[in-house]
Amino acid sequence: MNGFGYHLLVIACMVCSFSFSVRAEQVWFPKTPMQETYQALLADRPKVAWQELIFALSQQQIPTEHWAKIKYAIINQTDCGQQLTEPNGKGIPQGLTIAFVRRAGASSLGYEIKLSAEQVERDTLLTLTDPTGQTVLNEILNAKSGYQEIESGQLFTQIIPGIYELKMGGQHYSLVVYGLPRRPWVKLIGHPDQQLAIDLPATPLSCSPAAAHWLWLDDAYRWVEHTPIYLSGRADNSHAPTKIKLPSSSLVNAEHLSVTVSHFEYQGAIKVNYVERLALPLPNAAIRTEAVNSE
């Protein structure tokens, strides 16, 4: 079976599963806007289903398990969300990305929301509110041709799944955000010889697969190098995390090391990134400390 045929088969299976979900949804949520979302998707109208999903989630709180799979299917059927017409590219800076980050490790714990852009034509006030209506970002993007980034600062409550409202330059956009699962994608295991256990999240076929990277930073937490972690040797039918050895040596000028696991989707012209970042002990850190103390 070629790749196109396989893709159609997967879509057909998902649509068939939704026919059962529709009946279940009618039991749990009779006469609610969520039914329109399922009906639009079953009618092969994913863009309409997207609007219905936004409307449904805007009207009431719906448990994530009742809408996450249908969002997954919509993103999958719209070229990883790039075919969604809202928001379109009008008024949106080039490369606009919103990242929802979970930090873990001894030196960093909590959550963070970052927004970045590569080309902003004029100073633009940006406001982002979470599903509870709380403002999590309220900053100005400066007129600048190069890359810039604004951050929420450390958040001590988890990223809430649901509708995030983005106001920017007089425009308003609604984003459907998964949130970050309680179960980590990466963690340290073993003692005294520690390893990483990496469990990559599943992504729609039309999106890039989730990926893991080493992130090396200098003493001011500036980027030194970002290198991929190649996860080989995992059977396709295995759901067990992949175990990876920690680096045995450090890079020159690197003072901090993290591992990141991330995946992304598009919601129209906006890229939405989900990231987990785990701070790690730096290789040879003990040796360095002894060398400094002996001087």
Side-chain angles (χ1 to χ4, degrees), residues 12-22:
C13 292
M14 292 187 72
V15 169
C16 289
S17 68
F18 283 132
S19 65
F20 293 103
S21 299
V22 169

Side-chain angles (χ1 to χ4, degrees), residues 49 87 97 103 122 124 135 187 192 204 228 246 266:
T97 300
R103 296 178 179 274
R122 61 183 64 87
T124 304
T135 299
K187 60 182 179 180
L246 298 181
Y266 291 91

Side-chain angles (χ1 to χ4, degrees), residues 264-295:
F264 65 86
E265 69 202 19
Y266 291 91
Q267 298 190 22
I270 299 176
K271 184 177 181 179
V272 180
N273 201 8
Y274 303 91
V275 183
E276 183 166 316
R277 181 170 164 180
L278 175 63
L280 299 173
L282 192 70
N284 301 329
I287 298 175
R288 289 185 181 189
T289 301
E290 290 176 1
V292 170
N293 292 339
S294 63
E295 291 178 357

